[in-house]
Amino acid sequence: MEPDRDVIEKFVLPILPFEKNDLEPNISEATMNVHFNKHHMGYVNKLNKALENYDSEISSLEELLQNISSYDASVRNNAGGHYNHTLFWSILTPDYQEPYGKLLNQIEAAFKPFENFQKEFKNAAMSHFGSGWAWLVMNKKGVLEIGSTPNQENPLMDDATFRGYPIIGLDMWEHAYYLDYQNNKAQYVDAFWNIVNWVEAERRYEEALLFYSAK
Ligand code: MN3
C-alpha cells in the first residue's frame, strides 16, 4: 500500500512567533509590516500562481527546493523567498538568548571561539554583493559552514551555488534593513545577534542531522 502523502494545495504565510513591534529597536515595526505583509506575502502569492503551470504534487517546501532545477525561474525565486523568510522569522526572538547545546559545541569546533564565528558570519553577510542571504548550514559531511547565496537562492536547492541544510539565515536584501539602518549594513548584522532564537537554531541543527541520516 502506498503511504499517505499530504499534498500542499496552496502555500500560506506562516504565523509570526512574535508581534511585529517586539523586535524593536533591532528591527522596527515599520520594517516588519512591509517585510512580512508585502514582501513575504508577495512570494507566497507568486509561488502559488507560478505552480499553476505544473501538475506536480508537492508535499513540502523542502522537497520542492530539492527538485527546483526542474521548475522555472518564477517557482525558483518565489519558493526560495517563501522558505527563506519563513526560516528567518522562526529564528528571531524578542527575548535575548545565548547559544547553547550541541549547536554551540559544533560552532566552537568549526570556528572557535564563538566570537570568531560571529566575525566570519558578518564577513559573509557584508561581502555578499547585491541582494541575498548569509547562512550557517550543515553540509553533507555533517560539518557547519558559513556562506551566502544570491537573491532568493536557498542552500537546499539542488542547483544552489552554496549547499547545505540551513540552520541560520540572515536576509541581506535592502528591504530587510534600509528603513532602520539605511546603508549601515554592519549595524544591522550586529543587531541580529540580539534577536537570534538559539532554541530554534538548536532544533534546526537536530533537524539537519535527521535530514542527512535519512539520505
Ligand atoms: Mn526579505
Side-chain angles (χ1 to χ4, degrees):
M1 225 172 81
E2 287 280 308
D4 280 348
R5 201 157 166 279
D6 289 334
V7 173
I8 294 176
E9 300 286 341
K10 282 254 181 277
F11 287 99
V12 294
L13 273 182
I15 292 168
L16 278 181
F18 45 78
E19 298 297 325
K20 292 203 188 76
N21 62 357
D22 280 351
L23 301 176
E24 293 187 349
N26 301 290
I27 296 176
S28 68
E29 181 175 12
T31 292
M32 282 305 303
N33 276 328
V34 179
H35 204 171
F36 184 72
N37 296 352
K38 305 287 182 204
H39 289 276
H40 192 170
M41 187 81 244
Y43 295 123
V44 170
N45 290 338
K46 286 180 204 156
L47 174 59
N48 288 326
K49 185 89 191 130
L51 283 172
E52 286 173 6
N53 300 324
Y54 297 86
D55 47 17
S56 42
E57 294 193 336
I58 296 159
S59 63
S60 76
L61 194 47
E62 284 82 0
E63 179 197 83
L64 177 60
L65 296 184
Q66 289 172 75
N67 296 304
I68 207 72
S69 61
S70 27
Y71 292 86
D72 63 18
S74 185
V75 174
R76 191 176 194 278
N77 292 335
N78 293 297
H82 180 32
Y83 185 98
N84 293 347
H85 287 86
T86 302
L87 180 155
F88 189 45
W89 313 133
S90 78
I91 56 123
L92 298 180
T93 175
D95 306 311
Y96 178 78
Q97 296 177 3
E98 297 273 351
Y100 70 100
K102 282 190 203 165
L103 177 57
L104 176 60
N105 286 340
Q106 290 307 307
I107 287 175
E108 287 179 334
F111 310 102
K112 74 189 138 198
F114 184 75
E115 291 66 32
N116 188 53
F117 157 71
Q118 290 178 306
K119 205 174 119 199
E120 286 194 27
F121 189 91
K122 187 176 184 177
N123 282 343
M126 297 296 293
S127 62
H128 183 86
F129 183 78
S131 297
W133 290 75
W135 300 103
L136 172 69
V137 305
M138 182 189 289
N139 68 24
K140 60 184 179 196
K141 292 176 183 154
V143 176
L144 296 180
E145 245 187 287
I146 290 168
S148 65
T149 57
N151 303 315
Q152 294 299 353
E153 190 176 286
N154 178 281
L156 284 171
M157 290 177 175
D158 55 351
D159 58 1
T161 50
F162 174 68
R163 297 189 67 186
Y165 193 90
I167 294 172
I168 288 176
L170 178 59
D171 192 338
M172 293 307 296
W173 285 56
E174 281 190 351
H175 66 229
Y177 63 84
Y178 212 83
L179 282 179
D180 302 332
Y181 299 95
Q182 287 77 51
N183 58 341
N184 198 338
K185 278 205 278 191
Q187 247 177 37
Y188 165 68
V189 178
D190 290 341
F192 176 56
W193 303 116
N194 298 330
I195 50 174
V196 172
N197 185 337
W198 288 104
V199 176
E200 175 63 11
E202 177 78 11
R203 195 194 64 74
R204 291 194 65 89
Y205 176 82
E206 298 284 349
E207 206 169 72
L209 291 172
L210 288 174
F211 177 78
Y212 287 116
S213 70
K215 288 204 171 266

